[in-house]
Amino acid sequence: MKEIVEVAVGLPVFKTFHYRIPEKLKDSLQVGMRVLVPFKGRKVIGFSVDLLEQPSKGIEEKLREVEDLLDEAPLIDPQMLRFYHWISDYYLYPLGEVIKTGLPPGLHLKSELTLSLCPNGIASLNRGELEPIQEKVFKEIERCGKIALKKILRQFPGEVSRFQLFSWKKKGLLDIETEIKGKEVKPKFEKVIQYQGGEPCQPISKKQAEILEYVKEKGELSFAELSKRFKFPSKSIQTLQLQKLLSLSRREVCRDLTVRSEFEPYPKPELTSYQETLLGEIRKGIGLKKFSPFLIHGVTGSGKTEVYLRAIEEVLTQGREAIVLVPEISLTPQLLSRFKDRFGENLAPLHSGLGRGERYDQWRRIWKGEVKIAIGARSAIFAPFKNVGIIIVDEEHDPSYKQEEKLKYHARDVAVVRAKQMEATLLLGSATPSLESFYNAKRGKFHLLSLPERVEGKPLPQVDVVDMKREGSLLSEKLRMALQKNIEDRRQSLLFLNRRGFANFILCPDCGQTFKCPNCSVTLTYHLRDRTLQCHYCGYQIKAPGDCPKCQGHRLQGVGIGTERLEQEIQLLFPKAQVGRMDRDTTSRRRSHLQILKKLESGNIDILVGTQMIVKGHDFPNVTFVGVVSADTALHFPDFRSSERTFQLLTQAAGRAGRGEILGQVVIQTYTPDHYSILRAKDHDYLSFFQEEIQFRKALEYPPFSRLVNFRLIGNSEKKTKGLAEEMGRIGQSLLKKGYVKGIEMLGPSTAPFAKMRGKFRWQMLAKAKNSQWLHQFAKEVAFRMEILMKGKGVHLDVDVDPVFIL
């Protein structure tokens, strides 16, 4: 019998902790369950990660007992626990927090300390025996009855501390208790009526006879379904139950999905010779039942999705399961439609577009083994399958696979690890593979497969590059003429501009005044529709002023353009055209992105203006023209990957045109027409781009020739954050001088490119090395030492392993 449980608490704490298993839980507690445990004066939720027969020597007396068990069956199996351990170790993130990331939001609960007054505290308050600050705090607690400890600390900053509150508890003035917060989603059940057979032993009414006959026909049906046929059937069912003619039970059901497949059916096509060859290689890999990684480099419209579908069919015949990742929620509906046409209800969507209950239900279907396929954005990699046979990462180059908040994992990279652990086949697909993936394929780490032509031999679109230095307006003559012709021919067009809003910022030409976010180191973007200035990083917004608040000038003007202004310009140029817009502002409501795509599919939009979400993966045969309004937005971004991103975005944008019977046309507007990323995108020439870009990376020893770790300190105080950043630099230099690690280059510490964001000050230090093991050891040591230094200073350290954006 196991006596001790090892627990990973769901808090930013790297250590795991041991607890005694109370007698009442010894038969039921298993690895992979959630537990409630005492921790630093409160109760917290954790995850059981191991069971031990005896505690380590010297700690027997100190161990406390588990308070409660929150699950009837393990949520995490040994394979998933191994996967979570790897993520925790590689990304230097607490194990309990990693597990929370992998579970659906409906299972997230948190504990909170609450304050209430004891009888002695009430008496002392009434008698006026308290100090001024005590009196203020006690009056607020009395007013609320019960209040969160955190809320009191926020309401009285600098006046009262956690230590003081606990000292008042010791004096018998306050009660401090733990409450579990957060509404846990439970499985949904419905009443089911079943026919039991036999004849009535007593006379029954006409309605009861009709109900009995109807249930007999069906054999079994839900109470809701019966209620649609017969009004108020409850009493009749009770009578028939008493005569043992019908039985009533409950069964678990899924909540109706708010995001459904609503696109036109897509018939199963004949495979091209290239697809047949590709599938032959993939089927060999699947047949081995070993880790088989493939990189599919296929031009846009070459039929990669059909290859995915056929590969999954092969895996399902072996009784194994499939995970399919797509980069963004906006891509999911059309792909989901293709998958539903092929696999029916044998798949579960997993993404943030679902409600808490819906997402929990889909996760639970996977966990119970009711479906074999999971499809969704990056979090779908945590689908709790037990026998994964294939993992597919579509558009594997896309930076949105990297999570930038909290656990900074890259879904493509952890997909490689999970496939390896499960001895599964891995398919990475893209028309513009990341340099790292293509370099790995060149070195033989991945099997490189190619789809060099579009299906049915359709040609790639013709691409023209316009030098905007010779143009005098927002839209070049060539782009305007192409839009006009497309409207006349009743064809559809996409206009891509990777910046939302109306103007980049507002400027007073008289005094130079601009409007900056008080929380972030950025100017506010002007939005015309609601006449506001907004920060796209923290959500801060104000009403746009009519006059300059600094000099009272009347000539405030917008500088730069966003999708909102572009939409307005297009409506003025083509008043008879149906113009739509797809960006974060127009897709913030549920199902809004789906409605826009449905309008595009049905022909109710002639010109769709949008950010990068309109150029990823969509397949609409009547879209024959794509205009890129400014190719320079990504190109001049201060990042070593800016050329790669520019090439990828332009190639992906061009790939939306001409997927039907009509030859596509693309116009790219730029102020740098001779840049190699733009010229290679014009020629659809990935291999030449790769050769040029890889030389640049090699010369500067950037990935894939090295690995990076970004250490970012984020704090409330500018002075404390800077001081700790300087200390972090000294720690790093000390480790290098002592020879603790070798071959590491340190850059910084310095202020981050966005020195302030969401009201927090930011400093960072970048470490670069060829040897990933040395770099990882260096990162661990820096993080460990900084954790000690940061205690109680209102500063925390984000360690970003393999950063995608260094901001």
Side-chain angles (χ1 to χ4, degrees):
M1 184 71 73
K2 304 291 184 182
E3 299 286 334
I4 308 298
V5 59
E6 184 181 358
V7 175
V9 293
L11 296 169
V13 180
F14 280 94
K15 285 172 59 182
T16 55
F17 300 89
H18 292 93
Y19 292 88
R20 288 196 179 278
I21 305 171
E23 205 63 42
K24 64 178 181 179
L25 298 180
K26 282 184 179 177
D27 292 333
S28 49
L29 200 158
Q30 300 174 55
V31 169
M33 290 178 163
R34 293 175 300 161
V35 290
L36 188 68
V37 293
F39 185 81
K40 293 188 176 180
R42 57 178 171 147
K43 296 169 191 172
V44 300
I45 292 161
F47 304 93
S48 61
V49 296
D50 198 8
L51 297 176
L52 310 167
E53 290 182 4
Q54 293 295 330
S56 304
K57 286 184 179 178
I59 65 167
E60 298 97 325
E61 301 297 323
K62 299 175 186 176
L63 291 186
R64 289 181 286 177
E65 286 193 344
V66 172
E67 293 271 345
D68 202 0
L69 186 58
L70 302 180
D71 301 306
E72 294 178 2
L75 301 178
I76 308 147
D77 66 24
Q79 290 172 332
M80 282 304 289
L81 192 55
R82 177 187 171 203
F83 183 49
Y84 289 139
H85 271 292
W86 182 91
I87 292 171
S88 173
D89 183 62
Y90 185 77
Y91 288 105
L92 303 177
Y93 206 72
L95 179 59
E97 296 280 88
V98 171
I99 295 171
K100 274 170 67 177
T101 303
L103 295 176
L107 289 173
H108 292 180
L109 297 172
K110 63 179 181 180
S111 61
E112 183 176 79
L113 290 177
T114 59
L115 309 176
S116 58
L117 295 182
C118 292
N120 285 348
I122 296 169
S124 298
L125 180 63
N126 292 336
R127 289 196 296 264
E129 297 173 352
L130 303 173
E131 295 172 12
I133 184 58
Q134 266 187 307
E135 188 174 337
K136 280 166 68 178
V137 171
F138 279 37
K139 279 184 177 178
E140 181 61 19
I141 297 172
E142 185 182 46
R143 187 183 69 81
C144 299
K146 189 177 279 188
I147 189 169
L149 183 145
K150 279 185 180 178
K151 192 173 180 182
I152 284 291
L153 294 177
R154 281 199 304 268
Q155 282 184 236
F156 302 97
E159 295 182 85
V160 67
S161 67
R162 187 185 177 96
F163 175 80
Q164 281 175 296
L165 293 170
F166 274 90
S167 71
W168 297 339
K169 180 194 174 185
K170 282 182 181 177
K171 291 176 181 176
L173 302 173
L174 282 182
D175 265 338
I176 301 181
E177 297 174 334
T178 302
E179 284 193 2
I180 302 301
K181 293 286 183 180
K183 191 176 179 183
E184 183 173 6
V185 175
K186 298 288 185 184
K188 184 181 178 182
F189 292 91
E190 68 175 4
K191 286 194 283 187
V192 179
I193 300 150
Q194 291 148 329
Y195 180 71
Q196 294 297 301
E199 293 295 325
C201 54
Q202 293 178 10
I204 59 174
S205 69
K206 182 183 176 184
K207 182 179 178 180
Q208 290 166 357
E210 288 174 355
I211 288 173
L212 186 62
E213 188 61 31
Y214 187 70
V215 177
K216 183 180 178 181
E217 272 178 44
K218 298 284 184 179
E220 177 183 288
L221 77 163
S222 70
F223 181 81
E225 190 182 338
L226 188 71
S227 298
K228 289 176 185 175
R229 181 70 182 264
F230 301 95
K231 288 184 179 180
F232 311 114
S234 297
K235 284 191 176 180
S236 298
I237 291 168
Q238 285 174 2
T239 302
L240 295 171
Q241 249 189 302
L242 289 170
Q243 296 198 39
K244 298 184 179 178
L245 301 171
L246 298 180
S247 66
L248 202 60
S249 60
R250 293 197 321 156
R251 71 179 170 200
E252 188 177 332
V253 293
C254 282
R255 294 158 182 87
D256 287 340
L257 285 176
T258 37
V259 180
R260 295 178 180 279
S261 163
E262 296 182 20
F263 290 90
E264 293 296 322
Y266 194 96
K268 193 171 184 176
E270 291 290 322
L271 295 178
T272 66
S273 58
Y274 287 112
Q275 286 173 317
E276 287 280 14
T277 304
L278 229 72
L279 272 166
E281 292 297 311
I282 293 167
R283 283 178 179 134
K284 285 179 191 173
I286 292 169
L288 291 172
K289 294 188 178 179
K290 291 183 178 179
F291 176 54
S292 303
F294 296 91
L295 175 64
I296 302 175
H297 174 217
V299 299
T300 55
S302 58
K304 293 185 288 295
T305 302
E306 187 58 35
V307 171
Y308 302 155
L309 293 166
R310 303 281 179 118
I312 290 171
E313 287 175 343
E314 184 73 18
V315 166
L316 295 183
T317 62
Q318 298 179 351
R320 301 184 79 186
E321 299 135 351
I323 297 172
V324 184
L325 303 184
V326 293
E328 286 190 24
I329 180 65
S330 61
L331 283 179
T332 307
Q334 203 174 22
L335 196 65
L336 187 61
S337 181
R338 293 277 300 271
F339 274 74
K340 273 192 175 287
D341 289 345
R342 193 68 56 90
F343 301 113
E345 294 302 314
N346 194 21
L347 75 152
L350 284 177
H351 52 73
S352 57
L354 303 177
R356 277 163 53 91
E358 294 162 347
R359 199 165 171 185
Y360 170 78
D361 284 349
Q362 298 306 313
W363 180 90
R364 194 168 163 83
R365 289 175 74 207
I366 297 167
W367 179 70
K368 291 168 69 180
E370 294 175 356
V371 292
K372 295 287 186 182
I373 305 165
I375 180 170
R378 58 179 175 250
S379 61
I381 193 58
F382 298 110
F385 286 126
K386 295 176 177 61
N387 189 20
V388 176
I390 191 167
I391 299 176
I392 296 166
V393 185
D394 190 30
E395 310 292 0
E396 65 85 28
H397 68 276
D398 199 288
S400 61
Y401 280 125
K402 175 79 172 184
Q403 179 159 292
E404 295 295 335
E405 300 291 330
K406 296 185 178 179
L407 171 59
K408 292 175 169 56
Y409 71 97
H410 198 302
R412 178 199 62 214
D413 297 345
V414 299
V416 175
V417 173
R418 189 165 186 200
K420 195 170 187 177
Q421 289 184 350
M422 301 294 290
E423 295 193 327
T425 298
L426 173 75
L427 300 186
L428 307 177
S430 177
T432 54
S434 64
L435 252 72
E436 289 85 349
S437 293
F438 203 77
Y439 182 71
N440 280 332
K442 287 286 187 183
R443 293 176 65 203
K445 287 189 175 181
F446 300 150
H447 306 296
L448 182 60
L449 303 174
S450 182
L451 288 172
E453 292 181 4
R454 283 186 160 183
V455 292
E456 299 175 4
K458 293 170 186 172
L460 288 164
Q462 175 190 328
V463 181
D464 294 308
V465 176
V466 176
D467 186 351
M468 292 303 286
K469 293 192 292 288
R470 300 172 185 171
E471 299 287 333
S473 62
L474 172 63
L475 301 178
S476 63
E477 182 67 21
K478 187 179 278 285
L479 194 147
R480 288 199 303 270
M481 287 175 64
L483 285 172
Q484 182 63 52
K485 186 176 187 306
N486 237 29
I487 292 168
E488 290 169 0
D489 294 344
R490 296 186 178 180
R491 306 288 178 196
Q492 293 169 297
S493 306
L494 302 181
L495 281 184
F496 166 53
L497 175 63
N498 209 18
R499 187 183 290 277
R500 61 192 176 100
F502 187 81
N504 299 358
F505 60 93
I506 296 286
L507 172 74
C508 175
D510 297 327
C511 69
Q513 166 78 359
T514 59
F515 298 85
K516 293 184 178 177
C517 175
N519 308 313
C520 308
S521 304
V522 293
T523 52
L524 298 172
T525 302
Y526 178 51
H527 288 251
L528 178 67
R529 180 171 291 180
D530 51 7
R531 308 272 177 181
T532 58
L533 294 172
Q534 297 180 17
C535 176
H536 290 171
Y537 293 92
C538 71
Y540 173 83
Q541 68 176 52
I542 56 171
K543 279 290 179 186
D547 297 326
C548 175
K550 187 176 179 182
C551 72
Q552 281 71 53
H554 307 305
R555 299 197 301 147
L556 289 178
Q557 59 189 43
V559 178
I561 62 162
T563 47
E564 192 180 20
R565 182 181 164 196
L566 180 58
E567 179 189 27
Q568 187 187 73
E569 293 275 340
I570 295 300
Q571 286 169 337
L572 291 171
L573 277 171
F574 307 106
K576 293 184 179 178
Q578 296 295 316
V579 182
R581 176 160 58 96
M582 190 172 182
D583 56 25
R584 197 178 298 175
D585 297 324
T586 62
T587 59
S588 57
R589 294 171 64 184
R590 294 181 87 182
R591 295 175 58 85
S592 49
H593 65 280
L594 181 61
Q595 289 163 2
I596 293 168
L597 294 177
K598 280 291 291 177
K599 281 185 180 180
L600 189 66
E601 183 192 51
S602 61
N604 291 327
I605 293 177
D606 298 317
I607 302 170
L608 180 62
V609 172
T611 53
Q612 58 183 325
M613 61 175 67
I614 71 168
V615 300
K616 294 182 180 181
H618 304 303
D619 187 348
F620 295 105
N622 200 38
V623 172
T624 57
F625 175 72
V626 172
V628 179
V629 176
S630 174
D632 306 306
T633 308
L635 188 59
H636 300 304
F637 204 70
D639 190 346
F640 72 90
R641 288 191 175 96
S642 58
S643 296
E644 181 183 9
R645 289 218 179 87
T646 299
F647 175 81
Q648 289 166 343
L649 275 172
L650 296 181
T651 303
Q652 293 290 337
R656 300 317 107 207
R659 295 171 83 103
E661 301 300 321
I662 308 297
L663 175 66
Q665 184 187 0
V666 180
V667 170
I668 296 173
Q669 297 186 162
T670 176
Y671 287 93
T672 50
D674 298 324
H675 195 279
Y676 65 94
S677 65
I678 291 171
L679 292 174
R680 298 299 166 256
K682 175 183 183 294
D683 298 333
H684 308 283
D685 189 353
Y686 175 81
L687 293 178
S688 294
F689 171 77
F690 175 81
Q691 293 300 336
E692 290 186 65
E693 181 69 9
I694 206 75
Q695 293 306 316
F696 157 72
R697 300 283 183 91
K698 190 173 185 180
L700 296 176
E701 291 189 343
Y702 274 123
F705 299 99
S706 66
R707 304 293 284 274
L708 301 175
V709 173
N710 195 30
F711 302 89
R712 185 179 298 120
L713 282 166
I714 302 166
N716 300 318
S717 162
E718 187 174 11
K719 185 180 177 181
K720 286 181 182 177
T721 308
K722 181 184 177 183
L724 283 166
E726 289 167 350
E727 189 60 41
M728 181 169 66
R730 285 191 285 271
I731 289 170
Q733 292 294 349
S734 171
L735 291 171
L736 299 182
K737 282 177 185 175
K738 290 177 181 175
Y740 185 78
V741 284
K742 298 174 184 177
I744 291 174
E745 181 185 347
M746 272 176 49
L747 303 171
S750 61
T751 54
F754 289 119
K756 190 180 180 187
M757 190 177 286
R758 301 186 184 99
K760 307 283 186 181
F761 296 94
R762 296 148 48 92
W763 279 69
Q764 66 185 35
M765 180 176 80
L766 191 68
K768 182 169 70 167
K770 288 184 179 180
N771 186 310
S772 61
Q773 286 185 325
W774 280 119
L775 183 63
H776 204 253
Q777 187 59 41
F778 175 78
K780 265 187 172 177
E781 192 62 31
V782 170
F784 172 73
R785 297 191 185 192
M786 287 303 297
E787 188 178 10
I788 297 167
L789 290 174
M790 291 183 302
K791 278 186 178 177
K793 294 186 179 175
V795 179
H796 75 271
L797 176 66
D798 270 351
V799 181
D800 191 353
V801 180
D802 301 328
V804 169
F805 294 103
I806 305 172
L807 296 176

